Amino acid sequence: MLEQVTAFVDFTRGTDLNEYLKQTYSNNRSCKNNLSDVRVSPDGRHIHVILRKPKVGLMTFDKYQRPQQIQSQKHLDLGLTRAVPIVDIVYFDDKNRDGGVALLAVIFENGKAEFWKFLELKGGWHPLHTADLCNSLRAKVISVSASQNYIFWCEERPPSESSSPINETHNFRYCICKRTYEVEEMAVSLGGMKIALHNNPRYNVISSGENVYLLPDLKDKSTMSLSKFFLMWSPQYDTFRVSSTCKGNLLRKDSPSTKESDFRRLITDCTGYLSALSPPDIYGYSPTGSGGLLLLLSTGWVSLLQKDGVLRQIYKLADNCLASSSAHNSLNVYQDTLALTIGRTLYLIDTTCGVELEKIALKREGLLYVNRTERQAPHLLLETGLFVVMLREGESISPATLMVEAVFEEACKYYQQRSLSSTRLTVEKLKRGGMFQAPITLANIVGDYLQRQEKLLGSLEAELKGLVSLEEVKGGLVKEREVEDVCESLVQQEVGRLLLSSELDRDSLLYLNSIFSLFPSQAWRATQSALQLRCNGEGFLSSKVPPESKHKSPKPCPSTGSSFKLSPSLSSNSKNGESLPLYKRALSALPLPGPGSDLKQYPDYEQNQDLEVDLLLVSGRPNAVLQALRILMGRRQWERVTQVAQRFCRQSPLLNKEIFTTLLCEVAQHRDLDPYLDLLWALCPEDLTVTAILNIVQLTFGLLKPLLSKVLQRETRPNQRYADILQSPSFPPPTPPRRAKGLPRSTTEPSIGLDQQHNDVIGNMAAILDQHDPSKHRTVPGGRVTSTPNPD
């Protein structure tokens, strides 16, 4: 219901304000006033009316906090010093505001700005100073707005001799400018002027949070062809976005740092695309204050352009509500409630679900405004005073109503996803039956269901209220540990549902990302549970999830943080999506450092590398196993290295050979693997020859005796000529240099059955072993050592 705040009796010249508002409803167009020329201060204590015809000027109406101040002294109106058309009034947020202090600027067409301050103890408005917004004396201000210590405006500049004929033909002689401002004790200081956009059409400048919207001026008929789009400007980042009322943001461009942006160059890249669009006209608009913009469109839709550029439809008016753009409208958002006046009807809409909360009939047209002391409540200016929308005591929104709307919304979404038609299905069409056979059937089913469940919905309303009360009580009694258990359970249910679902769309991926960001530990445990990751007893993870379930997992993307991150840009047409093996998609989710990275920035590096090794080994792929083996060797975890080698050498002869060759090369580099040599020699492939071994490494042959003995026995019959070599003392002799040069040739005869290459190898080996066997050496006079020939 509407509750009256004031009937203007406590405002100065309240009778004159009543008379002015009555004229807004006059049928005589020559003396009819416009509610669009009325301004209400953010605190609701000052009302200003901009006079345009037949005489320009400004009317002020003020409400004192101490009414006796009006009686004790003469009230000082805001008396202007110039008879120049007024563009608008800008209210400033005075940080030094105390009691009855207000600060504003009156912006004139000629670029002048008069700054005024309201001092209640001194009887009204006092002029501070006058400043020039524009640098050019011939410039003309079209529209103005202020936000975040900036003043923005659109100004018209007269044509010059060097101006392009195209600019004159298409009326591109406007520019968008800005200045910084700072509120001081008794003044407002302005910074230097900067032109942000050149050669643009006539634009209305609307500021909302950190964004500024440039909407086409419908009064300028010469630029009607440019009304298909509008601009969204971020002064903080110097970026422009081209947007439309049917698609939201179409293009983003950064402004060059060295010079101002040019309008024609800005829209060149999307001219062709814009020509194919037929967006609806803008009938009304209002900034949200948080960076967004509310739009009332000719189609009857009330849409919200969010600060990220996404256009969201909120509510659809009946087809006969907007007969023409001349019908008076006003709209504003109050937290989660949208207030909209069309003619003499006030609509209250829930912005979260688009449900119509209330429709109130008004005696006259009204003007919505935001009172910063009560931002959550819609405030309305009418002919008879100021009003606020209040919720009747004992009333609340019916859960049954919300449930019905939710059912219809889901039905529309279900049908739209499976329909080949591009025509949008709305709840209104679905309830009426529309023009499609499928929605008619669906509406009948839903309608019949709702009729049969009417009693259930009625009882459910009370149950929901009881449930809410119970949750409030539980919230006050529950302990921290119980909260953690509940959180763990909920996260496990949600993660399991998402990971094992048949499809993961963009919304689900974003939702899964938010879960991992908010509850990283719980989400990871839930992932292990959902994918059935278990330790197989050998220190490795394995999964019992069917292969078809694994392929449903989305493609992870690299993340620099410690939390798991999924890419929302997954597409079935992606070349790298489903074509990548599962283990590689899992590896890309690990925050591992790149080459040359500082490991101090990765506190969980060792833990993540352990997980990387587990994932590589679980995959069972030869290249992945070898990669894991190299990581373990780099970390000098030799016992784990030998365990992995024993496990995977049994898989295939080729992998066995690769692993053995890798370890054989490692043996040649150091002595860390000496305790495991017997185990490594047992892994030698059946087809590996002595020649191949000696070609791979050059090392201490004393350590190779057991291996070479085994291989020689396998390749040929034992040769008595080398029996004493292979039966030398069990302890190894001193290790010779790794790279022996000029190996002495053996004078012994080759073994029967070996080819010439084997003869050379065995001869070289025998000579080296003879050199290092003490039993075969004798000292001759002069300290020279000679080899004792074998009697055989």
Side-chain angles (χ1 to χ4, degrees):
M1 64 179 181
L2 287 178
E3 181 177 291
Q4 190 168 29
V5 178
T6 177
F8 301 136
V9 293
D10 49 354
F11 277 77
T12 60
R13 301 171 57 197
T15 305
D16 294 340
L17 180 57
N18 283 123
E19 288 298 323
Y20 175 86
L21 293 175
K22 286 181 180 179
Q23 291 296 325
T24 59
Y25 313 111
S26 172
N27 294 325
N28 187 351
R29 292 185 176 272
S30 61
C31 63
K32 185 173 181 178
N33 299 323
N34 291 318
L35 281 176
S36 59
D37 292 327
V38 179
R39 304 289 183 267
V40 182
S41 66
D43 59 0
R45 292 174 48 208
H46 308 279
I47 300 174
H48 297 91
V49 176
I50 301 174
L51 302 177
R52 304 191 188 276
K53 293 180 181 180
K55 182 181 178 180
V56 297
L58 185 68
M59 299 172 63
T60 62
F61 310 93
D62 306 295
K63 178 182 178 180
Y64 282 78
Q65 286 186 327
R66 302 174 182 87
Q68 60 271 19
Q69 291 288 337
I70 306 177
Q71 302 171 1
S72 62
Q73 57 185 328
K74 183 180 179 181
H75 172 69
L76 298 177
D77 266 339
L78 200 157
L80 301 180
T81 59
R82 63 195 76 240
V84 181
I86 298 173
V87 178
D88 211 337
I89 296 174
V90 176
Y91 296 97
F92 295 103
D93 184 13
D94 189 358
K95 297 178 181 178
N96 301 317
R97 183 181 175 91
D98 180 23
V101 179
L103 187 64
L104 60 81
V106 181
I107 311 298
F108 297 90
E109 274 190 2
N110 61 3
K112 299 290 184 180
E114 290 188 5
F115 295 90
W116 293 76
K117 196 165 190 177
F118 183 81
L119 302 173
E120 181 165 326
L121 297 178
K122 294 185 179 182
W125 291 96
H126 292 262
L128 299 181
H129 62 95
T130 302
D132 290 313
L133 281 184
C134 308
N135 285 343
S136 173
L137 296 177
R138 303 170 61 195
K140 179 182 177 181
V141 178
I142 302 302
S143 63
V144 65
S145 182
S147 177
Q148 293 191 340
N149 289 88
Y150 278 100
I151 297 179
F152 313 101
W153 72 94
C154 175
E155 70 175 45
E156 180 183 7
R157 293 198 164 185
S160 62
E161 295 179 358
S162 60
S163 61
S164 170
I166 298 178
N167 290 353
E168 297 307 313
T169 304
H170 295 278
N171 212 8
F172 292 163
R173 57 177 182 269
Y174 299 86
C175 58
I176 304 299
C177 311
K178 68 176 180 179
R179 280 185 190 268
T180 59
Y181 73 86
E182 184 176 353
V183 177
E184 299 175 354
E185 182 65 25
M186 292 299 291
V188 176
S189 61
L190 298 178
M193 191 197 83
K194 181 181 178 182
I195 300 178
L197 188 64
H198 269 296
N199 302 323
N200 53 271
R202 182 182 178 122
Y203 274 135
N204 288 324
V205 180
I206 303 101
S207 58
S208 175
E210 61 185 18
N211 294 325
V212 177
Y213 294 89
L214 307 178
L215 301 185
D217 191 341
L218 299 180
K219 300 175 183 177
D220 189 359
K221 302 300 180 182
S222 62
T223 58
M224 290 301 294
S225 60
L226 299 175
S227 62
K228 290 188 175 184
F229 65 94
F230 57 93
L231 301 181
M232 178 174 153
W233 171 35
S234 174
Q236 182 179 358
Y237 302 104
D238 273 335
T239 58
F240 283 93
R241 296 183 181 183
V242 181
S243 306
S244 74
T245 55
C246 59
K247 297 291 184 180
N249 277 2
L250 306 175
L251 176 72
R252 167 178 169 165
K253 279 203 173 183
D254 296 328
S255 299
S257 57
T258 56
K259 56 182 180 179
E260 299 89 356
S261 294
D262 184 82
F263 174 76
R264 288 169 298 175
R265 287 196 296 266
L266 184 66
I267 65 169
T268 298
D269 293 343
C270 56
T271 304
Y273 181 70
L274 290 171
S275 62
L277 294 179
S278 297
D281 294 329
I282 299 175
Y283 279 7
Y285 57 84
S286 175
T288 63
S290 59
L293 183 69
L294 283 171
L295 296 170
L296 174 62
L297 305 177
S298 58
T299 55
W301 274 104
V302 180
S303 300
L304 171 62
L305 181 64
Q306 300 175 161
K307 63 180 180 180
D308 58 0
V310 176
L311 187 69
R312 185 165 69 90
Q313 293 179 323
I314 296 179
Y315 180 72
K316 176 69 166 62
L317 291 166
D319 295 336
N320 59 348
C321 282
L322 291 176
S324 67
S325 60
S326 60
H328 174 76
N329 65 77
S330 177
L331 67 162
N332 236 313
V333 67
Y334 306 87
Q335 290 189 342
D336 293 334
T337 302
L338 165 68
L340 168 67
T341 64
I342 302 293
R344 299 182 180 182
T345 305
L346 171 63
Y347 298 86
L348 298 176
I349 312 298
D350 188 339
T351 58
T352 60
C353 60
V355 174
E356 181 183 297
L357 305 177
E358 193 72 42
K359 186 161 62 174
I360 303 174
L362 306 175
K363 294 182 179 180
R364 297 288 188 181
E365 289 88 350
L367 177 70
L368 289 163
Y369 68 96
V370 177
N371 189 318
R372 67 181 174 193
T373 60
E374 296 179 285
R375 292 184 180 276
Q376 75 282 0
H379 285 70
L380 188 67
L381 181 146
L382 294 171
E383 175 190 349
T384 55
L386 298 180
F387 294 80
V388 62
V389 177
M390 301 293 292
L391 191 65
R392 288 193 182 94
E393 188 175 350
E395 278 197 1
S396 61
I397 303 171
S398 170
T401 302
L402 294 177
M403 183 174 292
V404 170
E405 292 296 326
V407 169
F408 275 101
E409 287 286 350
E410 285 299 316
C412 288
K413 183 178 179 181
Y414 178 87
Y415 173 80
Q416 201 74 46
Q417 290 176 344
R418 290 156 179 80
S419 173
L420 298 178
S421 173
S422 60
T423 304
R424 180 178 176 84
L425 177 63
T426 64
V427 173
E428 289 76 13
K429 289 182 179 179
L430 187 60
K431 289 179 178 179
R432 295 197 307 265
M435 53 183 294
F436 308 103
Q437 185 61 41
I440 293 175
T441 305
L442 189 58
N444 291 336
I445 294 173
V446 175
D448 180 63
Y449 170 81
L450 293 176
Q451 289 177 2
R452 288 187 289 107
Q453 299 297 326
E454 184 175 357
K455 293 183 178 180
L456 177 61
L457 290 174
S459 61
L460 189 59
E461 180 176 356
E463 293 295 330
L464 288 175
K465 290 181 179 178
L467 183 61
V468 170
S469 301
L470 179 61
E471 289 299 321
E472 291 176 353
V473 175
K474 287 172 60 180
L477 299 176
V478 72
K479 297 180 181 179
E480 182 179 354
R481 181 59 188 170
E482 293 174 345
V483 172
E484 293 179 359
D485 293 341
V486 172
C487 176
E488 183 93 21
S489 176
L490 291 175
V491 170
Q492 186 168 3
Q493 292 176 17
E494 288 300 285
V495 171
R497 179 180 64 82
L498 292 169
L499 290 180
L500 300 180
S501 62
S502 59
E503 295 180 0
L504 272 178
D505 55 15
R506 179 184 176 86
D507 293 337
S508 299
L509 284 172
L510 292 175
Y511 178 40
L512 188 58
N513 278 337
S514 65
I515 294 177
F516 271 93
S517 299
L518 296 173
F519 311 102
S521 302
Q522 296 90 335
W524 173 240
R525 288 193 291 270
T527 302
Q528 290 178 302
S529 175
L531 299 181
Q532 300 180 26
L533 297 177
R534 298 290 184 271
C535 183
N536 59 6
E538 299 181 7
F540 306 109
L541 291 174
S542 61
S543 174
K544 297 181 180 180
V545 175
E548 58 273 14
S549 298
K550 297 180 183 178
H551 291 298
K552 296 173 185 174
S553 60
K555 172 189 174 184
C557 65
S559 172
T560 56
S562 61
S563 60
F564 189 70
K565 190 76 172 177
L566 296 176
S567 169
S569 57
L570 182 65
S571 169
S572 59
N573 297 325
S574 173
K575 295 181 180 179
N576 300 323
E578 296 297 333
S579 62
L580 281 176
L582 181 62
Y583 82 96
K584 286 190 176 181
R585 285 184 273 160
L587 284 175
S588 64
L590 291 177
L592 296 172
S597 300
D598 186 5
L599 296 182
K600 294 180 180 179
Q601 299 179 1
Y602 297 85
D604 301 328
Y605 169 68
E606 292 188 2
Q607 181 181 356
N608 292 334
Q609 198 175 53
D610 290 337
L611 186 57
E612 179 187 14
V613 171
D614 291 340
L615 289 171
L616 290 170
L617 295 177
V618 160
S619 71
R621 300 198 175 211
N623 289 336
V625 172
L626 291 173
Q627 182 180 347
L629 200 64
R630 284 190 287 270
I631 293 174
L632 293 173
M633 290 191 301
R635 298 175 65 174
R636 312 187 75 82
Q637 297 180 355
W638 305 117
E639 185 173 358
R640 181 84 187 275
V641 167
T642 55
Q643 292 175 358
V644 171
Q646 282 184 298
R647 174 187 174 189
F648 287 96
C649 278
R650 296 191 295 264
Q651 284 194 1
S652 70
L654 183 60
L655 184 58
N656 183 9
K657 190 171 184 178
E658 291 289 339
I659 293 176
F660 183 77
T661 301
T662 301
L663 294 178
L664 200 57
C665 292
E666 192 70 19
V667 168
Q669 305 299 322
H670 50 75
R671 306 298 294 270
D672 294 341
L673 278 168
D674 287 1
Y676 307 97
L677 290 178
D678 291 340
L679 188 150
L680 296 181
W681 302 155
L683 301 178
C684 179
E686 293 291 333
D687 59 344
L688 200 64
T689 65
V690 173
T691 303
I693 294 174
L694 293 179
N695 285 337
I696 293 172
V697 294
Q698 296 178 9
L699 69 160
T700 305
F701 286 97
L703 300 177
L704 284 173
K705 283 168 48 183
L707 172 65
L708 296 177
S709 176
K710 174 184 175 182
V711 174
L712 285 173
Q713 290 175 5
R714 188 170 64 225
E715 290 188 349
T716 66
R717 290 175 300 175
N719 194 305
Q720 294 299 323
R721 183 166 298 180
Y722 305 108
D724 58 334
I725 297 175
L726 300 177
Q727 295 176 5
S728 61
S730 59
F731 59 87
T735 305
R738 293 294 190 189
R739 298 183 179 274
K741 296 183 179 179
L743 297 179
R745 302 281 300 181
S746 172
T747 58
T748 56
E749 294 180 359
S751 182
I752 300 175
L754 295 178
D755 58 18
Q756 187 60 37
Q757 185 179 12
H758 283 195
N759 295 343
D760 295 339
V761 171
I762 296 172
N764 292 341
M765 180 191 72
I768 293 174
L769 295 180
D770 283 342
Q771 258 186 338
H772 297 281
D773 194 337
S775 63
K776 306 296 188 222
H777 297 163
R778 62 185 179 86
T779 304
V780 298
R784 184 165 52 88
V785 179
T786 62
S787 177
T788 304
N790 192 314
D792 296 336

